[in-house]
Amino acid sequence: MNYWLVKSEPDTYGWHHFMEQGRAVWDGVRNYQARNNLRLMQVGDQVLFYHSVTNPAVVGLATVVRESYPDPTALDEPVVANAATRPTPWVVVELEPVMALEKPVTLARIKAEPMLATVALIKQSRLSVMPIKPDEFELILAMGQHAAKSEDR
DNA sequence: GCCAACGTTGGC
DNA sequence: GCCAACGTTGGC
């Protein structure tokens, strides 16, 4: 099993919206590195759901329920002239929520944790779909389940 | 609202 | 193939 982190702006598509829908087609990714990561996702992989821009934090856990297929929202775009023979290069996966974290793991806490200094979230702040190492994943999840810490929010 | 970092585009 | 200009993302 692999572990990932996906970003979404809460004002555009937040965790609560995701929970209400119960399932999301993760479309609109238009970055090759992020696309490559989508292609590697397998059913059952665990996905951290991160809110960017507004109160940046990991807020929930999701899982992959359908592997990558061509992004239907890309078909209208003038990406490829010969669309008849060459499909869009962009893909989607489908995700379902597993649980909300008891306490959001803020970007500030992630940055303050030495063991998380190498996560792509920090090193490559603009990447919207990134792999997470198992140890890092477990730590972030644990940080989100410990209601004790009082220093933030 | 500002700005730094990054990715993409297009001229040469 | 290089690089400047430009657009976008995302933290603060």
Side-chain angles (χ1 to χ4, degrees), chain A residues 39-53:
Chain A
R39 290 182 61 90
L40 293 171
M41 287 188 184
Q42 297 179 307
V43 169
D45 283 359
Q46 307 273 83
V47 182
L48 297 171
F49 191 107
Y50 176 83
H51 279 168
S52 63
V53 183

Side-chain angles (χ1 to χ4, degrees), chain A residues 8-24:
Chain A
S8 187
E9 289 193 34
D11 297 338
T12 305
Y13 188 83
W15 173 259
H16 292 296
H17 193 182
F18 181 38
M19 290 280 274
E20 281 164 21
Q21 286 192 174
R23 187 172 178 120

Side-chain angles (χ1 to χ4, degrees), chain A residues 55-68:
Chain A
N55 299 324
V58 176
V59 294
L61 177 65
T63 190
V64 177
V65 291
R66 184 170 170 190
E67 290 165 15
S68 68

Side-chain angles (χ1 to χ4, degrees), chain A residues 23-97:
Chain A
R23 187 172 178 120
V25 177
W26 210 255
D27 60 21
V29 172
R30 296 295 183 272
N31 168 282
Y32 285 101
Q33 198 176 348
R35 187 280 313 266
N36 291 344
N37 289 330
L38 287 180
R39 290 182 61 90
L40 293 171
M41 287 188 184
Q42 297 179 307
V43 169
D45 283 359
Q46 307 273 83
V47 182
L48 297 171
F49 191 107
Y50 176 83
H51 279 168
S52 63
V53 183
T54 308
N55 299 324
V58 176
V59 294
L61 177 65
T63 190
V64 177
V65 291
R66 184 170 170 190
E67 290 165 15
S68 68
Y69 59 94
D71 186 342
T73 70
L75 295 177
D76 297 336
E77 297 173 12
V79 176
V80 276
N82 54 343
T85 54
R86 185 187 299 244
T88 171
W90 305 118
V91 300
V92 299
V93 296
E94 293 184 15
L95 303 177
E96 277 184 11

Side-chain angles (χ1 to χ4, degrees), chain A residues 5 48-60 101-113 116 119 121-122 139-146 149-153:
Chain A
L5 181 147
L48 297 171
F49 191 107
Y50 176 83
H51 279 168
S52 63
V53 183
T54 308
N55 299 324
V58 176
V59 294
L101 297 191
E102 288 174 18
K103 178 184 169 73
V105 180
T106 63
L107 181 61
R109 285 176 75 200
I110 291 171
K111 283 184 166 175
E113 172 52 63
L116 298 175
V119 295
L121 189 65
I122 295 170
L139 178 55
I140 292 169
L141 211 55
M143 289 166 74
Q145 298 309 104
H146 289 163
K149 306 268 183 180
S150 57
E151 67 272 12
D152 53 87
R153 210 178 298 273

